[in-house]
Amino acid sequence: MKNKDTSDEQDLFSSMTKGIKPFKQDKRHFRAEQKDKKVIEEKTQQLHADSYFSDTYQPHLPSEGAMRWSRDDIDSFELKRLRRGDYQPDLLLDLHGMRQSEAKLELAALIQACVKQQSHCCCVMHGHGTGVLKQNIPMWLAQHPHVKAFHKAPKEWGGDAALLVLIDIGDQPYRR
């Protein structure tokens, strides 16, 4: 009797579901979308530029003579070595034709690259132009915690249109 009831139920079920198509299994899994490495790097650079560089901060910079600055804990001899060109820059950054916002991002990326590659010295070429970058770059550099000192570059590295920057990369010994 069970077999007859089971077959009647199956017949009833198949007559009721006649013409119905089964659902396709949705194989979509909802995970966080993979972020593009370039987008992550740009956001990191933007964060560094926004957190380190303020347009309202005015460090004590010389009004006469060559543009120069050093942290209080840096020996004055280091600034003299920068002026003489004893340090050879490993990385060069050319900011010609950039806007202030672009220059800030590039400057933050340069300092970050110097720390990452353990490069003690870099050169920032701001050019002559209208003088906006020439005026703002020293103010931005003086605010960054990894910048030990900077000085107007010698002629072979750009002269008045560039700055040599000494970077604090930690406890690593200087390599020549």
Side-chain angles (χ1 to χ4, degrees):
M1 187 163 201
K2 275 190 173 185
N3 288 340
K4 187 176 183 196
D5 288 341
T6 309
S7 66
D8 286 343
E9 288 175 4
Q10 284 179 348
D11 292 338
L12 180 64
F13 179 74
S14 59
S15 67
M16 291 177 84
T17 57
K18 193 177 199 181
I20 295 177
K21 294 179 185 174
F23 287 123
K24 285 187 178 178
Q25 176 65 37
D26 188 10
K27 295 181 177 141
R28 202 160 183 208
H29 299 282
F30 297 98
R31 282 188 231 148
E33 203 173 296
Q34 285 285 351
K35 294 185 180 177
D36 188 18
K37 191 174 185 178
K38 186 176 180 181
V39 172
I40 292 171
E41 193 171 303
E42 285 175 2
K43 285 185 179 182
T44 305
Q45 289 174 0
Q46 181 71 43
L47 178 67
H48 283 291
D50 290 343
S51 61
Y52 291 133
F53 305 136
S54 167
D55 291 326
T56 58
Y57 176 73
Q58 295 288 324
H60 181 65
L61 296 172
S63 57
E64 296 176 5
M67 179 54 66
R68 64 197 177 280
W69 175 86
S70 67
R71 287 191 324 212
D72 295 334
D73 62 334
I74 302 301
D75 187 17
S76 61
F77 185 66
E78 292 295 325
L79 202 58
K80 185 176 182 179
R81 290 179 68 195
L82 267 177
R83 178 180 54 85
R84 289 190 314 208
D86 290 350
Y87 288 103
Q88 297 293 315
D90 296 322
L91 298 174
L92 304 172
L93 176 63
D94 189 357
L95 299 174
H96 286 90
M98 288 190 186
R99 294 186 206 103
Q100 279 184 304
S101 57
E102 296 169 337
K104 262 189 204 182
L105 288 174
E106 291 298 320
L107 196 57
L110 173 72
I111 295 169
Q112 199 174 3
C114 284
V115 172
K116 192 174 189 179
Q117 296 177 14
Q118 297 183 358
S119 172
H120 283 272
C121 186
C122 63
C123 182
V124 178
M125 294 173 275
H126 47 71
H128 294 288
T130 60
V132 174
L133 290 180
K134 188 174 185 173
Q135 179 183 6
N136 286 329
I137 287 174
M139 292 189 315
W140 296 336
L141 286 172
Q143 297 173 46
H144 202 284
H146 288 293
V147 174
K148 287 182 176 180
F150 59 84
H151 199 284
K152 178 188 91 168
K155 286 204 186 255
E156 65 261 19
W157 295 108
D160 288 335
L163 292 172
L164 280 184
V165 183
L166 196 59
I167 305 292
D168 183 10
I169 62 166
D171 296 334
Q172 306 297 326
Y174 179 68
R175 59 175 171 71
R176 285 191 173 190

